[in-house]
């Protein structure tokens, strides 16, 4: 009985061993058939294209210094205002009372000046009066600016949040979460901010050629200028903010418009390959190709340039002259996949 049991165990082990070997042979990875092309390095006029949103050059949410009743609004949405132009009148009750007091102090100052010159009052008395006078003057100016609201910049009124007779409450009422009576925006020039990768930063300056196009304006292209390159780099995205100014004398460009910014980076070494060979890493803005590394597909991250017909400029320090990249079958492979190059 014991011998029979041992025989059964032996044959079972042999059967399992043979089954595992057959399974391993069946599941052994077969090289995937792909087509490749050799790439050759060429000198390319590198142009970087970046999506952006047009912004007003300057934007002010105008508010009085303290809550109060709105007596008069002199402007409407779409109206152009000059810097220093009065745009609103707030309740002047407190200001008029302060004005009478300040006018009296102004007359008193003339007398105090004369008495001080004649030596009728001491320097200490005169200085005490001047202190009171300057405090009253500051209070007068503060209330005057609070009542007679003036435009701090020249621009267009783009929003109006209250009507005459209403109480300004200083509660947040704008998209930015700020309080405002009206919003004034300077839209000539237009400002556009883009984030330039750290690797491209050495190629740009305030003299770099820039063009901006707008799909809503039939992709019409406008010449622009780099106004400011920020002094720091975002440690997470490895990008640097660049501010671009764009003339807008006819006000055709509106804040909020989608734009495509083209920045010329000069002549650099790169490769021109079929656009179909380029893939995008899901959920990111990163692009890559697959390189044939002695029968193994290797993922290589690249930077895209311009697309001309079905060809795209790419740049990468991991690619060299005569390297082979996969142009057919790349969607089926992953990094490390065995491949079989077919013609």
């Amino acid at each position: 009985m014991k011998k029979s049991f041992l025989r059964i165990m032996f044959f079972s082990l042999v059967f399992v061993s043979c089954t595992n070997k057959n399974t391993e042979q069946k599941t052994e990875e077969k090289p995937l058939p792909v087509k490749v092309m050799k790439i050759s390095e060429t000198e390319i006029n590198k142009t970087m294209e970046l999506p952006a949103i047009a912004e007003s050059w300057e934007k002010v949410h105008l508010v009085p210094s303290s809550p109060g009743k709105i007596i008069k609004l002199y402007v409407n949405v779409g109206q152009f205002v000059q810097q220093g132009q009065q745009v609103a009148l707030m309740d002047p009750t407190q200001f008029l009372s302060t004005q009478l007091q300040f006018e009296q102090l102004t007359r008193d100052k003339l007398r105090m000046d004369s008495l001080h010159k004649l030596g009728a009052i001491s320097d200490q008395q005169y200085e005490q009066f001047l202190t009171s006078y300057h405090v009253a003057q500051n209070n007068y100016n503060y209330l005057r600016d609070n009542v007679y609201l003036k435009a701090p910049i020249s621009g267009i009124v783009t929003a109006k949040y209250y009507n005459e007779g209403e109480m300004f409450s200083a509660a947040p009422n704008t998209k930015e979460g700020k309080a405002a009576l009206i919003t004034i925006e300077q839209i000539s020039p237009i400002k556009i901010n883009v984030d330039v990768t750290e690797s491209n930063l050495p190629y740009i300056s305030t003299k770099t050629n820039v063009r901006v196009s707008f799909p809503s304006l039939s992709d019409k292209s406008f010449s622009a200028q780099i106004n400011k390159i920020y002094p720091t780099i975002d440690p997470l995205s490895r990008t640097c903010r660049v501010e671009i100014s764009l003339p807008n004398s006819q006000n055709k460009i509106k804040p909020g418009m989608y734009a495509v910014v083209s920045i010329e980076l000069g002549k650099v070494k790169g490769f021109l390959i079929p656009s179909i060979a380029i893939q995008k890493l899901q959920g990111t803005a990163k692009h890559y190709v697959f390189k044939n590394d002695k029968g193994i597909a290797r993922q290589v991250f690249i930077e895209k340039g311009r697309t001309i017909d079905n060809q795209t400029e790419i740049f990468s320090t991991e690619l060299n002259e005569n390297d082979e990249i996969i142009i057919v079958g790349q969607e089926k492979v992953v990094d490390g996949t065995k491949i079989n190059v077919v013609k």
Side-chain angles (χ1 to χ4, degrees):
M1 187 74 177
K2 189 172 182 181
K3 289 181 179 179
S4 298
F5 177 74
L6 291 174
R7 284 197 196 96
I8 293 171
M9 289 296 295
F10 172 76
F11 286 117
S12 297
L13 290 172
V14 171
F15 175 76
V16 171
S17 176
C18 293
T19 302
N20 287 341
K21 286 181 180 178
N22 291 334
T23 302
E24 287 176 2
Q25 289 174 356
K26 288 180 181 178
T27 58
E28 184 179 353
E29 182 183 1
K30 291 184 178 180
L32 288 174
V34 297
K35 288 187 177 181
V36 301
M37 70 166 285
K38 284 187 178 183
I39 58 174
S40 57
E41 196 173 49
T42 183
E43 197 173 57
I44 297 173
N45 287 320
K46 186 178 180 182
T47 300
M48 176 174 52
E49 292 190 347
L50 299 168
I53 300 296
E55 303 176 30
S56 53
W57 187 255
E58 195 171 358
K59 185 175 185 178
V60 174
H61 297 299
L62 186 63
V63 294
S65 303
S66 58
K69 185 177 181 179
I70 303 165
I71 303 300
K72 188 74 176 175
L73 282 172
Y74 299 105
V75 295
N76 288 304
V77 173
Q79 182 178 338
F80 180 82
V81 295
Q82 293 281 1
Q83 183 178 8
Q85 177 182 335
Q86 186 176 344
V87 297
L89 173 66
M90 304 297 292
D91 183 0
T93 304
Q94 185 180 359
F95 168 71
L96 293 175
S97 176
T98 302
Q99 184 180 30
L100 291 173
Q101 294 174 7
F102 181 66
E103 288 174 351
Q104 181 59 52
L105 278 173
T106 301
R107 290 191 289 270
D108 291 342
K109 184 176 181 299
L110 294 174
R111 289 192 292 269
M112 294 296 283
D113 288 343
S114 299
L115 292 173
H116 183 252
K117 288 179 181 178
L118 296 172
I121 58 174
S122 66
D123 290 343
Q124 184 179 5
Q125 289 175 308
Y126 184 65
E127 289 172 0
Q128 287 175 345
F129 173 80
L130 286 180
T131 299
S132 300
Y133 173 80
H134 289 310
V135 169
Q137 185 181 43
N138 290 336
N139 190 38
Y140 166 81
N141 292 335
Y142 171 82
L143 291 175
R144 180 194 59 197
D145 294 341
N146 183 61
V147 170
Y148 304 103
L149 287 182
K150 296 181 179 180
I153 62 171
S154 296
I156 292 177
V157 178
T158 57
K160 180 179 172 183
Y161 304 98
Y162 288 89
N163 295 314
E164 294 176 359
E166 293 181 333
M167 289 290 295
F168 174 73
S169 64
N173 58 353
T174 65
K175 290 183 292 185
E176 292 86 351
K178 299 179 180 180
L181 188 66
I182 62 173
T183 297
I184 303 173
E185 297 186 52
Q186 183 183 350
I187 62 174
S188 182
I190 284 288
K191 178 170 62 178
I192 296 177
N193 287 317
V194 292
D195 295 321
V196 175
T197 57
E198 182 180 3
S199 59
N200 285 326
L201 202 55
Y203 300 108
I204 66 171
S205 69
T206 54
K207 296 181 180 179
T208 301
N209 290 329
V210 179
R211 296 201 66 84
V212 182
S213 60
F214 297 88
S216 58
L217 298 177
S218 302
D219 286 325
K220 186 174 180 181
S221 180
F222 301 87
S223 178
Q225 183 178 8
I226 293 177
N227 180 66
K228 183 192 301 179
I229 300 174
Y230 282 64
T232 59
I233 292 177
D234 187 319
L236 297 178
S237 65
R238 309 308 305 172
T239 58
C240 177
R241 177 60 56 92
V242 175
E243 181 183 274
I244 296 169
S245 63
L246 176 62
N248 189 31
S249 58
Q250 297 180 349
N251 295 339
K252 289 183 177 180
I253 305 167
K254 312 296 183 186
M257 275 186 173
Y258 177 77
V260 177
V261 178
S262 298
I263 303 176
E264 294 185 11
L265 303 179
K267 292 185 180 293
V268 294
K269 296 291 185 180
F271 305 93
L272 191 64
I273 68 169
S275 302
I276 196 171
I278 302 172
Q279 298 191 80
K280 185 177 180 182
L281 192 63
Q282 190 173 4
T284 72
K286 294 182 177 181
H287 294 84
Y288 62 91
V289 296
F290 282 107
K291 179 175 71 170
N292 177 20
D293 182 15
K294 299 177 182 178
I296 302 295
R298 296 299 182 194
Q299 187 182 48
V300 177
F301 285 99
I302 54 96
E303 183 184 338
K304 288 177 61 178
R306 294 174 300 173
T307 296
I308 306 168
D309 295 329
N310 297 323
Q311 303 284 308
T312 298
E313 300 167 346
I314 66 168
F315 309 92
S316 173
T317 56
E318 298 181 53
L319 292 175
N320 299 300
E321 183 88 8
N322 293 324
D323 276 348
E324 294 180 338
I325 63 167
I326 301 175
I327 58 172
V328 175
Q330 68 276 8
E331 68 280 354
K332 297 179 182 179
V333 303
V334 295
D335 190 39
T337 300
K338 291 182 179 180
I339 57 174
N340 177 31
V341 177
V342 298
K343 293 183 179 180

